Amino acid sequence: MTAFRLAVLGGTGPQGKGLAYRFAKAGHHVVIGSRDDARASAAAAEIAARLVQDPAHIITGADNNSAAEEADVVLLAVPFDGHAALVESLSKRLVGKVVISCVNPLGFDKRGPYGLDVPDGSAAEEAQRIAPDARMVGAFHHLSAVNLWGDADVLDHEDVLVCGDDKDAKAIAIELSRAITGRDGIDAGALRLARQLEPLTAVLISINKRYKVRSGLRVSGLAEH
């Protein structure tokens, strides 16, 4: 597996921290990004404490600008509220880079979670519009933060669905999925299909609440990948 230098923007939140842990555990150099570099460094130290048995693991913290500047691959794991402003602030630093969005535009009311209407169609497409020279991919939307931070070696009961219009960028996200599930992610099609993948997370949240589980997705009918 290729080792990448990954910036996880939003790495101080539960999902971002869980993804950063999994990527660092798999041997990637991870930089956690945050508006507050002190918070980013604290999250990196927390992850490093779990990886202390292997000093080869590299994980550090930095402000969002520095993290994105240094990375080969930038992962957006931030809340949808403020997502556009963050991408706008980083747009020049994202030129030519692989950018993976796992942002889920969701709302919550008394009836439960639901997908928000996004003018661009999806958070991934919004990011692509704002940063047109980034190589945008949507992936890692449906992974439980608790499972990511858990002790299982890999989440081999789940699949990572990957969408994008840049073939090579999508291939990188598919390869990175091995750090999570132990196997390649699944090519789910064009970037516009993020319009279906992002709000599907609301369905999983509803299932989790109803059955008191941490559900995930596994695609049947494929040859082992």
Side-chain angles (χ1 to χ4, degrees):
M1 182 175 66
T2 307
F4 293 99
R5 186 179 180 92
L6 288 161
V8 181
L9 307 187
T12 58
Q15 187 184 31
K17 187 167 69 172
L19 287 166
Y21 164 63
R22 292 287 167 174
F23 290 133
K25 184 172 179 283
H28 299 289
H29 182 172
V30 178
V31 183
I32 289 182
S34 172
R35 288 176 295 180
D36 183 340
D37 57 358
R39 288 188 63 204
S41 296
E46 184 180 1
I47 295 170
R50 296 194 66 183
L51 303 171
V52 69
Q53 293 181 343
D54 187 346
H57 296 303
I58 301 175
I59 182 158
T60 57
D63 64 88
N64 285 325
N65 288 331
S66 298
E69 183 74 36
E70 298 171 6
D72 305 313
V73 179
V74 177
L75 182 74
L76 301 175
V78 297
F80 183 62
D81 183 24
H83 165 261
L86 173 66
V87 177
E88 176 67 35
S89 71
L90 298 173
S91 59
K92 292 182 180 179
R93 292 177 172 84
L94 300 180
V95 173
K97 294 186 187 253
V98 175
V99 179
I100 303 173
S101 172
C102 63
V103 177
N104 295 313
L106 301 179
F108 297 85
D109 60 20
K110 292 181 179 179
R111 298 173 62 188
Y114 61 95
L116 297 175
D117 292 328
V118 181
D120 288 297
S122 65
E125 290 170 291
E126 177 181 79
Q128 184 69 93
R129 174 182 59 79
I130 297 170
D133 295 318
R135 302 164 64 196
M136 196 67 57
V137 179
F140 306 113
H141 300 99
H142 308 124
L143 301 167
S144 160
V146 175
N147 288 344
L148 288 168
W149 190 247
D151 295 327
D153 187 38
V154 291
L155 308 185
D156 56 6
H157 62 292
E158 300 193 44
D159 280 317
V160 174
L161 304 183
V162 182
C163 64
D165 297 330
D166 183 310
K167 180 180 178 180
D168 292 335
K170 189 158 53 171
I172 288 173
I174 287 171
E175 180 180 356
L176 283 170
S177 301
R178 297 177 198 165
I180 311 298
T181 64
R183 59 185 176 276
D184 285 351
I186 294 175
D187 187 337
L191 189 68
R192 66 183 182 182
L193 291 180
R195 302 174 191 182
Q196 281 69 51
L197 295 181
E198 293 173 1
L200 185 58
T201 304
V203 177
L204 296 177
I205 294 172
S206 182
I207 290 171
N208 292 346
K209 183 176 181 180
R210 172 65 179 84
Y211 292 96
K212 296 179 174 58
V213 296
R214 293 190 292 274
S215 57
L217 295 177
R218 184 72 194 268
V219 178
S220 63
L222 298 178
E224 189 61 31
H225 57 283

